[in-house]
């Protein structure tokens, strides 16, 4: 049984993340998606629970994909969940440099136990990021090309509920 941990902020999950998950499904028996809070990225758009619920809903029919969260680090979760490796997506040189730094840290902190598998973004998915989706949403631009319809629906709901709370719209 091959199992890989895909850690990330997923705020929100995009079609770019989904393409990486699809590619990994051909390579691994099970993919454990770990929704984590990245302290460098601030509070974010969705709460951790909301991000987790979105991913669970999208993959509810897939028995290959599990979703977890928690306040542990990615390499600790990889060990706890008996994952042979950590999965990361690479879009460009900037991602490559950052992912290389992270894979070294994770390998070192886990005494060589946690390795990293990097998969390249395909075609048009390459330029999609969660921050692009949040920005497009802020400007009321279409986000259909970037996210699953369920994510779009929840983003619209959340955005207008938020605006209501502040009395702005
Ligand atoms: P993090 O806060 O860990 O960067 P993200 O949710 O932004 O979390 O990304 C999780 C992983 O998915 C990272 O390895 C990132 O490079 C990868 N990723 C994000 N968007 C894409 C995309 N469009 N194509 C391929 N990989 C992607």
């Amino acid at each position: 049984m091959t199992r890989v941990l895909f850690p990330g902020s997923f705020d929100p999950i995009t079609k770019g993340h989904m393409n990486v998950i699809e590619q990994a499904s051909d390579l691994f028996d099970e993919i454990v998606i770990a929704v984590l809070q990245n302290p460098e990225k601030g509070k974010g758009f969705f709460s951790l629970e909301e991000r987790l619920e979105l991913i669970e809903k999208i993959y509810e029919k897939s028995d290959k994909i599990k979703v977890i969260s928690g306040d542990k680090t990615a390499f600790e979760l990889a060990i706890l969940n008996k994952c042979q490796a950590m999965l990361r997506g690479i879009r460009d040189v900037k991602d490559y440099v950052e992912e290389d730094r992270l894979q070294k840290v994770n390998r070192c902190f886990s005494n060589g136990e946690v390795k990293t598998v990097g998969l390249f973004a395909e075609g048009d998915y390459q330029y999609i990021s969660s921050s692009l989706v949040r920005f497009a949403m802020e400007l009321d631009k279409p986000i259909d090309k970037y996210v699953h319809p369920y994510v779009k629906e929840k983003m619209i709901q959340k955005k207008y509920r938020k605006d209501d709370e502040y009395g702005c719209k």
Side-chain angles (χ1 to χ4, degrees):
M1 170 100 177
T2 52
R3 189 182 289 125
V4 73
L5 187 92
F6 187 23
S9 310
F10 303 102
D11 188 24
I13 184 166
T14 68
K15 288 186 179 175
H17 294 124
M18 291 174 72
N19 175 253
V20 170
I21 294 165
E22 198 182 314
Q23 293 184 58
S25 307
D26 294 335
L27 304 172
F28 297 94
D29 297 318
E30 202 169 277
I31 299 157
V32 182
I33 302 173
V35 184
L36 304 174
Q37 193 72 52
N38 183 341
E40 284 164 25
K41 292 192 177 173
K43 203 173 148 274
F45 187 87
F46 285 117
S47 69
L48 272 189
E49 295 72 28
E50 287 167 333
R51 293 179 227 167
L52 189 110
E53 190 269 334
L54 288 175
I55 304 173
E56 271 175 350
K57 178 77 184 167
I58 292 172
Y59 292 109
E60 67 185 352
K61 291 198 173 77
S62 168
D63 47 5
K64 267 196 154 196
I65 292 156
K66 305 269 173 301
V67 196
I68 60 166
S69 187
D71 54 11
K72 295 210 165 355
T73 60
F75 85 85
E76 287 170 325
L77 288 173
I79 296 170
L80 270 175
N81 287 279
K82 300 187 173 34
C83 295
Q84 283 87 359
M86 200 115 94
L87 171 67
R88 298 289 286 174
I90 300 167
R91 283 164 289 191
D92 51 21
V93 175
K94 201 169 143 269
D95 269 357
Y96 173 82
V97 172
E98 175 61 6
E99 295 303 339
D100 185 40
R101 188 186 66 81
L102 281 175
Q103 69 88 12
K104 285 184 181 117
V105 170
N106 286 319
R107 199 184 284 259
C108 169
F109 286 178
S110 67
N111 294 319
E113 212 178 312
V114 177
K115 288 132 188 114
T116 299
V117 172
L119 287 176
F120 291 94
E122 284 183 296
D124 279 354
Y125 298 115
Q126 203 173 353
Y127 71 97
I128 304 177
S129 63
S130 300
S131 56
L132 168 70
V133 175
R134 294 194 303 269
F135 188 48
M137 190 71 212
E138 209 178 295
L139 301 176
D140 285 322
K141 299 287 179 200
I143 56 170
D144 311 68
K145 274 202 307 200
Y146 313 139
V147 294
H148 185 282
Y150 184 69
V151 175
K152 178 186 169 185
E153 185 190 319
K154 290 288 163 185
M155 283 192 91
I156 292 171
Q157 269 178 22
K158 174 119 183 169
K159 177 175 174 178
Y160 289 102
R161 210 180 324 120
K162 235 189 204 160
D163 286 346
D164 275 354
E165 278 167 22
Y166 297 108
C168 298
K169 269 212 169 127

